[in-house]
Amino acid sequence: MANNHNNWVSVLVQNLTSKKQTNLLKNLYFLTFTTVLCTLFYLLGLWQHSTTPFSAGTTTTQYLSTTTCPDPAISNSTAAALDFSAHHTIPDPTSTPAREFHAPPCDPSFSEYTPCEDVKRSLSFPRDRLIYRERHCPAPNEILRCRIPAPFGYRIPLRWPESRDTAWYANVPHKELTVEKKNQNWVHYEGDRFRFPGGGTMFPRGASAYIDDIGRLINLRDGSIRTALDTGCGVASWGAYLLSRNILAISFAPRDTHEAQVQFALERGVPALIGVLASIRLPYPSRSFDMAHCSRCLIPWGQYDGIYLTEVDRVLRPGGYWILSGPPINWRTHWKGWERTQESLKEEQDGIERVAKSLCWKKLIQKDDLAIWQKPTNHIHCKITRKVFKNRPFCEAQDPDTAWYTKMDTCLTKLPEVSDIRQVSGGELAKWPERLTAVPPRISSGSLKGITAEMFKENTQLWKKRVAYYKTIDYQLAERGRYRNLLDMNAYLGGFAAALIDDPVWVMNIVPVEAEINTLGAIYERGLIGTYQNWCEAMSTYPRTYDFIHGDSVFSLYQNKCNMEDILLEMDRILRPQGSVILRDDVDVLLKVKRFAEAMQWDARIADHEKGPHQREKILVAVKQYWTAPQPDEDQQRKL
């Protein structure tokens, strides 16, 4: 029994010894295999990163010595095979548009260049119905890519209200009107300046007395009349003297033989644009103006099926007034002085009366040299009587607010529907100044899709804060009276202009044609003024029109539509020397704008958003440097 026990123990020991040897062998094989595999991978990695070919004839020792720590004893040929130069290089960056952009000064002959009303270009268009005086802009390859110079001796305009009556001769060096209109008191030349006595062809006692005459016929003081349109404005004395009565007028006249009418108006600090009634709608929405005016503006109101008076009807608000003085009004008294026959003058007045009646206007009064008509507050009565009185047909197809290169028509623009004859189409407007902050009827009625009354109120408060911040980063804007003529390139609801209402400024509110929502009608309902514009084209105004230009997201709006530098050159053209610019946009956009602005010799800097530095939207503040054309030689001075 003991022997059996010993045998069992002996077998167990042998088995354990045998298994231990087997495990050791397995571990040894595994370690050897791993070592060989790692060595192979290591050598493979060295071969892939080596600049020296690893040929079959190269030993491992030789290869390692040439790739890690070369021995000085190794031959020069082996060392020369090593190449430590960079084989992956990045090419130099191509020059950016900002580096290529160069804006030299234009020739001094371009100091009053208005691209879309260029006299030479206009002569190639039909003269019928003054079509040649409409906007005719240069093609993209014809755009002038240089900076328009101010005339030699240009001076910063006088401050309002002194500028209403006086302007520097050097700024508008034209004496033609002082000769042509000498007896009508438009403008006088006195030493180094012009003086504007407030006279006009039909108001020899002055514009203020003339407006008082109108005020005795309709109420100009209760705030119901705030916006006005002056057609064929001369030097805009009518609009200039309305400002003291809290009435804001846009004056317009074509660029014609009477040199610089609109330029004089702008130099005086009065809102004005170059424009003409010809074949294209005026650049304003329907129901914009509370009052329209013509004082011997020489527009053939009764001709062409009354198309021009029909256009005035489109832009007049319901209940608005049209005022006419000059031929043919009071022709029995003036026909000899006008060098017209009584028959022709009577025929002209009869034609005007027929057109006005076809528009359903009511003639309120004709007294002395003034005649005033009133547009109906709705079209209920007009629809009832149209078969009896043969009123002109209503327009059906076109949007009444579309006015950019839109042909005028002889049809009657429909007023919004009402259910009661006492209602005002489109909604009754609050009186000024409550009108500024009251919700515009276009918004309260839901006509402007996506804009609510609450959004309007929030926008008004937002711009109060923004303008207050602007005045902390632009000391010239903060200086009361430093600026007079302001431009907002993308006005939306007119919040920027509304926030400045207590400053002695006026703002031309631009609604770009490319804007998602056409808000210009709401701006007019607030008692502000403005116009449409495509910023890929030039504006219908003279150089050096504005003291200050503001733009909210303008360059983001026009990305991929036209060149940024062309928009900036147009801004430079219409900005006065030492005028300022404030642009708000995405930081990447403004960095590009800043490079272009500096190439135009603007002093530019980027400031933080009013909410702080962590906003992507930033604010660019720039000032145009003062510079002028060189002094003309004696021959040029004699021509002036």
Side-chain angles (χ1 to χ4, degrees), residues 90-250:
I90 300 175
D92 292 336
T94 57
S95 57
T96 63
R99 289 180 186 148
E100 295 174 356
F101 178 59
H102 179 55
C106 300
D107 187 90
S109 62
F110 287 98
S111 67
E112 292 178 359
Y113 180 60
T114 54
C116 297
E117 284 81 15
D118 181 55
V119 175
K120 293 180 181 178
R121 184 180 297 105
S122 69
L123 294 177
S124 64
F125 291 89
R127 301 182 73 84
D128 181 51
R129 289 178 52 187
L130 301 181
I131 289 174
Y132 74 106
R133 289 182 179 167
E134 291 182 321
R135 283 176 61 87
H136 302 292
C137 298
N141 62 331
E142 298 174 329
I143 293 175
L144 201 63
R145 289 184 170 87
C146 54
R147 292 176 291 132
I148 302 296
F152 177 76
Y154 179 88
R155 302 173 69 173
I156 300 301
L158 298 163
R159 296 195 177 193
W160 184 267
E162 186 181 0
S163 66
R164 185 190 68 178
D165 304 322
T166 309
W168 301 117
Y169 168 75
N171 293 9
V172 191
H174 295 288
K175 298 179 183 178
E176 294 88 344
L177 283 181
T178 66
V179 177
E180 291 184 29
K181 304 295 181 180
K182 182 178 180 180
N183 297 326
Q184 297 172 16
N185 278 334
W186 279 29
V187 55
H188 294 201
Y189 173 63
E190 298 175 354
D192 62 351
R193 63 189 68 192
F194 291 110
R195 186 172 61 84
F196 302 92
T201 307
M202 293 308 300
F203 30 96
R205 295 181 295 120
S208 188
Y210 175 80
I211 292 168
D212 287 340
D213 290 340
I214 296 173
R216 281 186 278 271
L217 304 177
I218 57 175
N219 196 333
L220 299 179
R221 298 187 178 277
D222 69 347
S224 60
I225 296 177
R226 166 63 180 173
T227 56
L229 180 69
D230 191 14
T231 58
C233 63
V235 295
S237 289
W238 187 72
Y241 282 84
L242 279 174
L243 289 165
S244 62
R245 295 161 170 85
N246 275 327
I247 297 175
L248 191 58
I250 289 185

Side-chain angles (χ1 to χ4, degrees), residues 333-371:
T333 301
H334 298 293
W335 68 276
K336 289 183 179 178
W338 290 339
E339 298 179 350
R340 297 267 303 274
T341 65
Q342 296 184 63
E343 292 76 18
S344 69
L345 288 164
K346 182 180 183 304
E347 183 182 352
E348 183 180 349
Q349 178 147 0
D350 289 345
I352 291 172
E353 301 282 6
R354 281 194 300 271
V355 174
K357 193 171 290 185
S358 74
L359 296 169
C360 302
W361 289 7
K362 176 184 177 181
K363 189 172 185 179
L364 288 183
I365 193 169
Q366 179 171 323
K367 184 178 180 181
D368 298 328
D369 296 339
L370 285 167

Side-chain angles (χ1 to χ4, degrees), residues 575-595:
L575 183 65
R576 297 188 192 276
Q578 296 186 331
S580 293
V581 173
I582 288 184
L583 300 172
R584 57 189 309 126
D585 216 315
D586 183 84
V587 61
D588 291 338
V589 174
L590 288 187
L591 286 171
K592 294 178 184 177
V593 171
K594 185 174 182 289
R595 289 197 293 268

Side-chain angles (χ1 to χ4, degrees), residues 4 10 14 67 88 138 174 182 198 201 270 275 282 295 370 423 435 477 479 488 558 563 571 584 612 624 636 639:
N4 289 337
S10 175
Q14 288 178 356
T67 56
H88 300 283
H174 295 288
K182 182 178 180 180
T201 307
V270 179
L282 296 172
S295 175
L370 285 167
Q423 289 180 313
R435 182 171 165 179
L477 182 63
E479 183 184 346
D488 192 357
Y558 280 91
N563 293 329
M571 292 170 64
R584 57 189 309 126
K624 178 179 176 179
Q636 289 176 312
K639 291 177 183 178

Side-chain angles (χ1 to χ4, degrees), residues 267-288:
E267 198 67 24
R268 298 174 71 183
V270 179
L273 290 167
I274 298 173
V276 64
L277 272 168
S279 67
I280 302 296
R281 283 180 173 182
L282 296 172
Y284 317 113
S286 64
R287 298 179 280 130
S288 296

Side-chain angles (χ1 to χ4, degrees), residues 582-634:
I582 288 184
L583 300 172
R584 57 189 309 126
D585 216 315
D586 183 84
V587 61
D588 291 338
V589 174
L590 288 187
L591 286 171
K592 294 178 184 177
V593 171
K594 185 174 182 289
R595 289 197 293 268
F596 287 129
E598 289 171 342
M600 297 190 306
Q601 297 183 3
W602 288 5
D603 297 321
R605 60 188 174 89
I606 294 179
D608 287 328
H609 190 277
E610 61 268 10
K611 290 184 179 179
H614 301 299
Q615 304 290 322
R616 274 201 63 82
E617 186 177 73
K618 301 293 181 184
I619 298 169
L620 181 139
V621 184
V623 177
K624 178 179 176 179
Q625 293 181 9
Y626 177 87
W627 66 282
T628 71
Q631 184 174 7
D633 58 34
E634 292 183 4

Side-chain angles (χ1 to χ4, degrees), residues 283-285 401-404 510-513 518 520-521 530-534:
Y284 317 113
D401 289 346
T402 301
W404 188 252
I510 302 295
V511 171
V513 180
N518 182 357
L520 191 54
T531 186
Y532 296 115
Q533 177 66 34
N534 175 354

